Amino acid sequence: MRYFSDKFYVNIILRQYPDCLYIRQPDVTGQVGKVFFVVLPTDTIVCKFNDQEIIQRNYQISQILKNRITSIPVTQTHDFSNVYFETYKYCPGKTLFEYIQQGISADKIFDIYQQATNVQKEISKINPKELNFKNCKYAHETFAYNVRART
């Protein structure tokens, strides 16, 4: 993945969302690409930049899962001069990291992991042959791809 300045990414977002009121980065940043919260007049969305292959993979998986799991964000894909990003509606709840920082109980952590496990269970039901790309069909391939991108 090619990396650019924050200003470059903000300009791409402003081209896509000219009615944007405010753009900020989360406290916990993305592992590979940049992540931004974009406040629009009616909603807040997340913009995540990444390689085309990962963006397309996430889109296909969100389309498959949108009727199975209500908590899965349905993504949209965007491209500006071969710089790819996905957008989805911002969920205003706290992240697990934020809860842990505030001293969340062990029972609550267990509940959150149980929810995450349920999502992974649904993802594991997807037949890789349904996915329309050659790389990153399997979790281990996506993990290796992201590790390479970070180094």
Side-chain angles (χ1 to χ4, degrees):
M1 179 174 165
R2 297 181 324 189
Y3 294 96
F4 301 96
S5 70
D6 288 353
K7 185 175 182 178
F8 179 85
Y9 294 117
V10 166
N11 285 333
I12 290 174
I13 293 168
L14 290 172
R15 287 180 70 104
Q16 186 68 39
Y17 298 100
D19 58 342
C20 169
L21 302 173
Y22 183 72
I23 299 173
R24 71 177 178 88
Q25 287 188 279
D27 295 333
V28 180
T29 60
Q31 290 185 6
V32 178
K34 292 284 187 170
V35 178
F36 296 89
F37 295 145
V38 179
V39 178
L40 303 172
T42 58
D43 217 349
T44 299
I45 59 170
V46 177
C47 292
K48 290 176 67 176
F49 290 83
N50 210 325
D51 288 319
Q52 178 183 12
E53 187 116 25
I54 299 296
I55 297 296
Q56 290 175 338
R57 174 190 184 279
N58 292 347
Y59 175 77
Q60 287 183 32
I61 291 172
S62 80
Q63 292 300 304
I64 292 168
L65 293 177
K66 72 181 179 183
N67 295 324
R68 296 185 198 175
I69 305 172
T70 57
S71 62
I72 291 291
V74 178
T75 68
Q76 294 181 343
T77 61
H78 307 276
D79 166 25
F80 176 77
S81 297
N82 294 322
V83 175
Y84 297 88
F85 67 105
E86 62 187 335
T87 58
Y88 53 88
K89 188 176 177 177
Y90 172 71
C91 178
K94 294 179 183 176
T95 65
L96 178 58
F97 177 80
E98 291 168 322
Y99 278 123
I100 290 172
Q101 297 290 6
Q102 293 178 346
I104 186 174
S105 72
D107 288 343
K108 291 284 188 187
I109 292 174
F110 180 81
D111 289 343
I112 291 168
Y113 274 105
Q114 189 173 31
Q115 291 172 28
T117 301
N118 290 338
V119 170
Q120 289 300 319
K121 178 181 168 187
E122 288 300 317
I123 290 171
S124 72
K125 292 179 184 177
I126 296 172
N127 183 343
K129 292 177 183 174
E130 290 181 63
L131 302 176
N132 199 14
F133 42 87
K134 52 186 173 181
N135 297 319
C136 299
K137 283 188 180 184
Y138 301 94
H140 71 279
E141 292 174 338
T142 305
F143 176 77
Y145 189 92
N146 281 322
V147 168
R148 279 193 308 273
R150 281 188 286 187
T151 56

